[in-house]
Amino acid sequence: MRKLGFVAAATLALMSSSAIAKTTIVYAGHLITDASKPAEGPSTVTVTDGRIVSIAPGRTAVPEGAEVVDLGDKTLLPGLIDLHVHLTGDPGGDYRSEAVDPDEWGVVVGAKNARVTLRAGFTTVREAGSAQYTAFSLRRGTAEGYIEGPRIIAAGPPLAIIGGHGDTTGFREDIHAVLDQGYTCTGAVECAEKVRKASRAGADVIKITATGGVLSQQGRGLGAHFSNAEMESIATTAHSLGLKVMAHAHGARGIESAAAAGIDSIEHGTFADEAALKVMKAKGTYMVPTLMAFEGIRERLGKGIYTPTVEEKVRMTLNDVGKAMARAKEMGVPIAFGTDAGVFEHGRNAGEFALLVKYGLTPREALASATTVAARLLSMEDEIGRIAPGLSADMIAVDGDPLTDVRTLESVDWVMARGRVAE
Ligand SMILES: [Zn+2]
């Protein structure tokens, strides 16, 4: 601790000599620095210019000019990470609105949802598919502080097969042509081209729809869409650019070929069977179960919100929710936290924790899935997911102990993201 104190003092001296360093002292009754470690008692975390500089037991003295946040008896823990959100959309609504609303409207909706998501304790989100530059604009908006919201790791428009989940379906051909986002591909060469195009546009991650999806109008079930050759081309090209690939996938064979192709995470993974999970385990593929998505869908079923095509696909999935995740855990497939917020109301993201526990994770594993494990999948372990010197000051506070009761995470009292307190 003495050594850390020295580093902190040195950092402060350096900062005050260069510019107006802003230091915040955070006192908390309990501290979880890392989901894999036991909680500590009363502690002080010092933050300077958006970074954690030191952690000390008890209440340390306040340096001159520093701000103080006293969280009383609350538990301070790392900011949460949701690896699968759609900020630019809200649940419900007519699918035909995509032919009416301009892309820019998505930024307005997204600014509203970014704020709600941050206040729910999520200091980093991975935007899993949105129109053109909408998510990239939101990413810049929260990074530069123009709007309040989490750090955004953005995919932009997903790669899809023509007429697949992620492309438009159910309109006239001339309408499809107008709505085309420019990211469908056929064959290995064109799919490589679209990965490079996404990279050029500013994608942090490549999103593909590897199989059919529940909420699109395409009516050919939930089986594999891309060919093996196409998925291999997408994975290889993305990795050559330093980008990871996240694949929306429900059907078992689509999951298996996506994992075999080297795709980094399977989103949903609904019907993953023994064979598919074996390949995921062998390849180190993560599963992002998005159990909250199915809650959102269940709440809306039979209310005239979904078209008959969609309702039929919904009914295919609901009996199997959670089964693949439970098997994945038994087989040692890493499980990372993602919700598909946008399919249900933004801000309810933390409802996923109780579902993860219901289907077999311990509370500690559930918290790790949204902190250390998620950070590892993003290759950002040295930036987010823990409270440690040098990392971004992304922290939240709750009443009670989330390592005993994950439902405490559903009411987050205080949030700091990149050193800024959400007011
Ligand atoms: Zn999604």
Side-chain angles (χ1 to χ4, degrees), residues 84 86 128 207 248 268 340 343:
H84 195 127
H86 299 280
K207 163 82 185 285
H248 154 108
H268 319 306
D340 220 354
V343 170

Side-chain angles (χ1 to χ4, degrees), residues 11-363:
T11 310
L12 287 177
L14 186 72
M15 291 303 199
S16 55
S17 65
S18 53
I20 17 136
K22 190 183 169 235
T23 291
T24 308
I25 302 293
V26 184
Y27 294 133
H30 309 268
L31 174 68
I32 298 169
T33 57
D34 182 323
S36 66
K37 291 181 184 161
E40 292 164 40
S43 303
T44 304
V45 177
T46 302
V47 172
T48 296
D49 290 339
R51 301 242 152 230
I52 297 161
V53 291
S54 68
I55 302 157
R59 285 173 165 247
T60 62
V62 181
E64 207 188 310
E67 267 177 26
V68 177
V69 175
D70 189 346
L71 296 169
D73 194 44
K74 291 187 195 300
T75 302
L76 184 67
L77 67 152
L80 305 172
I81 303 166
D82 188 332
L83 293 166
H84 195 127
V85 302
H86 299 280
L87 291 174
T88 60
D90 284 319
D94 189 331
Y95 77 95
R96 286 167 291 196
S97 66
E98 70 182 300
V100 178
D101 293 333
D103 290 350
E104 288 80 354
W105 179 243
V107 180
V108 176
V109 174
K112 185 256 303 177
N113 289 332
R115 187 164 194 255
V116 168
T117 305
L118 181 68
R119 280 152 187 262
F122 291 82
T123 51
T124 299
V125 298
R126 191 168 62 166
E127 228 299 331
S130 51
Q132 297 305 335
Y133 301 95
T134 54
F136 306 147
S137 299
L138 289 168
R139 175 180 67 191
R140 182 175 170 186
T142 67
E144 296 186 12
Y146 280 71
I147 54 170
E148 200 175 73
R151 174 188 292 96
I152 297 171
I153 311 302
L159 270 64
I161 63 161
I162 294 171
H165 187 68
D167 188 24
T168 50
T169 7
F171 298 109
R172 292 160 37 147
E173 276 309 315
D174 47 352
I175 304 297
H176 286 308
V178 172
L179 295 178
D180 185 7
Q181 294 282 322
Y183 288 92
T184 58
C185 61
T186 306
V189 173
E190 198 185 10
C191 287
E193 181 191 330
K194 294 301 164 78
V195 170
R196 290 176 180 146
K197 180 180 171 180
S199 167
R200 180 177 68 185
D204 300 309
V205 58
I206 301 299
K207 163 82 185 285
I208 76 161
T209 52
T211 73
V214 179
L215 295 185
S216 56
Q217 303 308 315
Q218 53 92 27
R220 306 207 185 281
L222 300 167
H225 275 179
F226 284 107
S227 69
N228 291 349
E230 288 165 340
M231 289 209 256
E232 280 161 20
S233 166
I234 289 167
T236 313
T237 309
H239 293 161
S240 76
L241 293 163
L243 299 173
K244 291 194 175 182
V245 184
M246 57 189 297
H248 154 108
H250 290 291
R253 299 288 68 78
I255 295 168
E256 186 177 349
S257 15
I263 281 166
D264 304 275
S265 66
I266 297 296
E267 314 289 309
H268 319 306
T270 318
F271 302 110
D273 59 11
E274 205 76 3
L277 291 168
K278 266 188 188 153
V279 179
M280 288 181 71
K281 168 71 179 156
K283 294 290 240 174
T285 319
Y286 288 66
M287 180 184 279
V288 180
T290 71
L291 303 169
M292 273 302 281
F294 299 100
E295 287 294 299
I297 290 170
R298 203 190 300 273
E299 290 163 8
R300 287 169 181 79
L301 189 65
K303 295 189 175 157
I305 294 170
Y306 301 134
T307 62
T309 306
V310 170
E311 289 243 335
E312 193 192 323
K313 290 189 285 178
V314 170
R315 291 182 204 284
M316 282 182 200
T317 60
L318 289 183
N319 286 334
D320 285 276
V321 175
K323 290 180 185 167
M325 191 221 91
R327 280 199 299 271
K329 186 207 154 159
E330 284 164 20
M331 291 174 66
V333 171
I335 292 161
F337 187 102
T339 63
D340 220 354
V343 170
F344 61 94
E345 297 83 355
H346 293 275
R348 286 174 61 193
N349 314 52
E352 184 82 13
F353 287 106
L355 296 171
L356 290 169
V357 169
K358 177 179 170 185
Y359 293 112
L361 295 196
T362 64

